[in-house]
Amino acid sequence: MSSSQEISEIFYVEAEKLESDINDALIKSHWSVSEIVSIYYRTMNVNSIVSMLKQLSDSSSEASSVTFKIEEVKKTISEKFDSNLHLSIMKQLADSIAETTKKLSSGNDMEKSKEDIETEAKLYEELRQTMSTKEFVEQYDKGLSNA
């Protein structure tokens, strides 16, 4: 089996998983950090595989049997992910950061109980995680504007 065939097989599996993940995510209105990271990694992975397959098909004289699937997946990523899901996730992350920041800044400066301190620490951790995820998602966004 050639490396081109192996990459094609991986592409078919990953493309199916991505399409399923995107369709599942579109049904929801809120996503966990792990769901967000997972779908972005899968999207970037499929985009990378598409690039490799294109390079392989450009260097070979035979017509690629995966060309139709590549176009189908690119359309799904563009129409469902980039133009819809990605924008919703960006909004969710921005709203979550604003809401958590507001909660943290509205806390009083009076003496705090152990529970108050633990709750505040959890909010700071949530904020850090959400900001980190937003930064990761923005890297994808920058890739879109450079494409």
Side-chain angles (χ1 to χ4, degrees), residues 31-50:
W31 308 272
S32 70
V33 167
S34 63
E35 289 172 319
I36 292 169
V37 171
S38 176
I39 199 163
Y40 276 87
Y41 270 124
R42 178 152 285 135
T43 302
M44 289 184 279
N45 187 33
V46 168
N47 279 328
S48 294
I49 296 169
V50 165

Side-chain angles (χ1 to χ4, degrees), residues 55-72:
Q55 288 175 353
L56 289 171
S57 67
D58 288 347
S59 64
S60 70
S61 57
E62 63 193 55
S64 173
S65 61
V66 297
T67 303
F68 177 76
K69 185 66 176 176
I70 289 173
E71 293 308 314
E72 185 180 281

